[in-house]
Amino acid sequence: MNRRTAFFILIGLAVAAGALSLVLYLTRGSHLELKGSVQKFRTLAVEENNSIAIIDFRFINPSDYTFVVKKVTVTLTTADGQKLEGANIAELDARRVFEYHPALGQKFNETLRVKEKLGSRQTLDRMIAVSFSAPEAKLQSARQIRVRIDDVDGASSEIVR
Protein backbone atom coordinates (compact mmCIF):
# COMPACT_ATOMS: atom_id res chain seq x y z
CA MET A 1 0.00 0.00 0.00
CA ASN A 2 1.39 3.36 -0.94
CA ARG A 3 1.26 6.61 1.03
CA ARG A 4 -1.54 8.09 -1.02
CA THR A 5 -3.88 5.15 -0.34
CA ALA A 6 -3.07 5.23 3.40
CA PHE A 7 -3.76 8.98 3.43
CA PHE A 8 -7.22 8.54 1.89
CA ILE A 9 -8.02 5.67 4.27
CA LEU A 10 -7.13 7.88 7.25
CA ILE A 11 -9.27 10.73 5.88
CA GLY A 12 -12.19 8.31 5.40
CA LEU A 13 -11.84 7.01 8.97
CA ALA A 14 -11.74 10.58 10.34
CA VAL A 15 -14.90 11.54 8.39
CA ALA A 16 -16.69 8.38 9.62
CA ALA A 17 -15.64 9.06 13.24
CA GLY A 18 -16.83 12.67 12.94
CA ALA A 19 -20.19 11.58 11.50
CA LEU A 20 -20.63 8.98 14.25
CA SER A 21 -19.80 11.56 16.93
CA LEU A 22 -22.33 13.98 15.45
CA VAL A 23 -25.08 11.33 15.40
CA LEU A 24 -24.37 10.33 19.01
CA TYR A 25 -24.37 13.98 20.10
CA LEU A 26 -27.65 14.77 18.36
CA THR A 27 -29.44 11.71 19.82
CA ARG A 28 -28.09 11.97 23.39
CA GLY A 29 -31.55 12.65 24.86
CA SER A 30 -33.27 9.76 23.09
CA HIS A 31 -32.24 7.05 25.55
CA LEU A 32 -35.09 6.64 28.07
CA GLU A 33 -33.49 5.77 31.40
CA LEU A 34 -33.87 7.07 34.94
CA LYS A 35 -30.90 7.90 37.13
CA GLY A 36 -31.19 8.22 40.86
CA SER A 37 -30.24 7.21 44.36
CA VAL A 38 -31.77 5.85 47.54
CA GLN A 39 -32.04 8.70 50.04
CA LYS A 40 -33.36 6.86 53.10
CA PHE A 41 -34.05 3.22 54.05
CA ARG A 42 -36.20 2.31 57.08
CA THR A 43 -37.52 -1.02 58.33
CA LEU A 44 -40.31 -2.15 60.62
CA ALA A 45 -40.94 -5.61 62.08
CA VAL A 46 -44.63 -6.50 61.68
CA GLU A 47 -44.34 -10.10 62.91
CA GLU A 48 -41.46 -12.45 63.61
CA ASN A 49 -40.97 -13.32 59.92
CA ASN A 50 -42.71 -10.36 58.24
CA SER A 51 -41.21 -6.92 57.84
CA ILE A 52 -41.83 -3.70 55.99
CA ALA A 53 -39.18 -1.61 54.26
CA ILE A 54 -39.71 2.06 53.44
CA ILE A 55 -37.40 3.30 50.70
CA ASP A 56 -37.18 7.02 49.89
CA PHE A 57 -35.41 7.78 46.64
CA ARG A 58 -34.72 10.59 44.19
CA PHE A 59 -34.65 10.02 40.47
CA ILE A 60 -34.04 12.11 37.37
CA ASN A 61 -35.23 11.63 33.80
CA PRO A 62 -32.32 12.98 31.71
CA SER A 63 -33.95 12.08 28.39
CA ASP A 64 -36.11 14.16 26.05
CA TYR A 65 -39.14 11.90 26.56
CA THR A 66 -41.67 11.31 29.32
CA PHE A 67 -41.20 8.19 31.45
CA VAL A 68 -44.55 6.58 32.43
CA VAL A 69 -44.33 4.06 35.28
CA LYS A 70 -45.73 0.63 34.49
CA LYS A 71 -44.34 -1.40 37.39
CA VAL A 72 -42.07 -0.97 40.42
CA THR A 73 -40.17 -3.97 41.81
CA VAL A 74 -37.97 -3.98 44.91
CA THR A 75 -35.36 -6.70 45.37
CA LEU A 76 -33.16 -7.00 48.42
CA THR A 77 -29.95 -9.04 48.67
CA THR A 78 -29.33 -10.14 52.25
CA ALA A 79 -25.94 -10.43 53.94
CA ASP A 80 -25.90 -14.19 53.23
CA GLY A 81 -26.60 -13.65 49.50
CA GLN A 82 -30.29 -14.54 49.51
CA LYS A 83 -32.47 -12.50 47.15
CA LEU A 84 -35.86 -11.38 48.44
CA GLU A 85 -38.55 -9.73 46.33
CA GLY A 86 -40.97 -7.49 48.15
CA ALA A 87 -44.70 -6.97 47.72
CA ASN A 88 -45.59 -3.32 47.13
CA ILE A 89 -47.84 -1.56 49.63
CA ALA A 90 -50.45 0.89 48.32
CA GLU A 91 -50.27 4.60 49.20
CA LEU A 92 -53.33 4.46 51.47
CA ASP A 93 -51.89 1.54 53.43
CA ALA A 94 -48.48 3.22 53.61
CA ARG A 95 -50.10 6.26 55.22
CA ARG A 96 -51.70 3.98 57.80
CA VAL A 97 -48.37 2.30 58.53
CA PHE A 98 -46.85 5.71 59.32
CA GLU A 99 -49.87 6.67 61.47
CA TYR A 100 -49.79 3.47 63.53
CA HIS A 101 -46.00 3.23 63.85
CA PRO A 102 -44.54 6.62 64.81
CA ALA A 103 -41.14 4.97 65.32
CA LEU A 104 -40.76 5.06 61.52
CA GLY A 105 -40.62 8.83 61.66
CA GLN A 106 -42.11 11.24 59.17
CA LYS A 107 -43.49 10.26 55.77
CA PHE A 108 -41.38 12.48 53.52
CA ASN A 109 -42.60 11.61 50.01
CA GLU A 110 -45.59 10.29 48.12
CA THR A 111 -45.54 6.69 46.92
CA LEU A 112 -44.41 6.12 43.34
CA ARG A 113 -47.57 5.00 41.58
CA VAL A 114 -48.33 3.08 38.41
CA LYS A 115 -49.02 5.43 35.45
CA GLU A 116 -47.18 8.28 37.16
CA LYS A 117 -45.40 10.44 34.59
CA LEU A 118 -41.91 11.81 34.90
CA GLY A 119 -41.38 14.52 32.30
CA SER A 120 -38.19 15.08 30.38
CA ARG A 121 -35.36 16.54 32.45
CA GLN A 122 -37.51 16.36 35.59
CA THR A 123 -36.42 15.31 39.10
CA LEU A 124 -38.78 13.68 41.60
CA ASP A 125 -38.55 12.45 45.18
CA ARG A 126 -40.74 9.43 45.86
CA MET A 127 -40.97 6.49 48.23
CA ILE A 128 -42.03 2.89 48.04
CA ALA A 129 -43.26 0.78 50.94
CA VAL A 130 -42.63 -2.93 50.52
CA SER A 131 -43.53 -5.99 52.58
CA PHE A 132 -41.01 -8.84 52.90
CA SER A 133 -41.48 -12.34 54.30
CA ALA A 134 -38.32 -12.09 56.37
CA PRO A 135 -37.25 -10.94 59.82
CA GLU A 136 -36.35 -7.27 60.21
CA ALA A 137 -32.72 -8.14 61.00
CA LYS A 138 -32.30 -9.56 57.48
CA LEU A 139 -33.59 -6.34 55.95
CA GLN A 140 -31.38 -4.14 58.11
CA SER A 141 -28.26 -6.10 57.20
CA ALA A 142 -29.01 -6.07 53.47
CA ARG A 143 -26.02 -5.84 51.17
CA GLN A 144 -27.99 -4.36 48.29
CA ILE A 145 -31.37 -2.77 47.66
CA ARG A 146 -32.53 -2.61 44.06
CA VAL A 147 -35.56 -0.57 42.96
CA ARG A 148 -36.52 -1.42 39.37
CA ILE A 149 -38.91 0.93 37.56
CA ASP A 150 -40.41 -0.23 34.26
CA ASP A 151 -41.80 2.14 31.63
CA VAL A 152 -45.00 1.40 29.68
CA ASP A 153 -42.99 1.34 26.45
CA GLY A 154 -40.58 -1.35 27.67
CA ALA A 155 -37.63 0.64 29.01
CA SER A 156 -36.54 -0.06 32.57
CA SER A 157 -34.21 1.54 35.07
CA GLU A 158 -32.73 0.48 38.38
CA ILE A 159 -31.75 2.47 41.42
CA VAL A 160 -29.28 0.53 43.54
CA ARG A 161 -28.02 1.13 47.05
Side-chain angles (χ1 to χ4, degrees), residues 1 5-22:
M1 175 167 38
T5 306
F7 177 72
F8 284 116
I9 289 174
L10 286 175
I11 288 178
L13 288 174
V15 168
L20 180 63
S21 298
L22 181 65

Side-chain angles (χ1 to χ4, degrees), residues 6-72:
F7 177 72
F8 284 116
I9 289 174
L10 286 175
I11 288 178
L13 288 174
V15 168
L20 180 63
S21 298
L22 181 65
V23 167
L24 290 175
Y25 177 76
L26 293 175
T27 62
R28 68 188 178 281
S30 297
H31 185 66
L32 189 59
E33 179 181 39
L34 301 178
K35 299 183 187 288
S37 61
V38 173
Q39 303 293 310
K40 192 168 181 118
F41 177 71
R42 299 174 270 181
T43 60
L44 172 71
V46 180
E47 295 175 348
E48 186 177 329
N49 286 319
N50 279 330
S51 302
I52 294 175
I54 309 291
I55 305 164
D56 290 290
F57 54 94
R58 173 175 292 147
F59 58 105
I60 303 162
N61 180 3
S63 74
D64 295 333
Y65 301 99
T66 300
F67 192 101
V68 182
V69 177
K70 177 182 179 182
K71 181 180 174 185
V72 181

Side-chain angles (χ1 to χ4, degrees), residues 36-38 143-147 158-161:
S37 61
V38 173
R143 272 194 303 187
Q144 184 183 69
I145 302 160
R146 185 177 300 266
V147 180
E158 291 186 347
I159 299 170
V160 180
R161 181 195 119 189

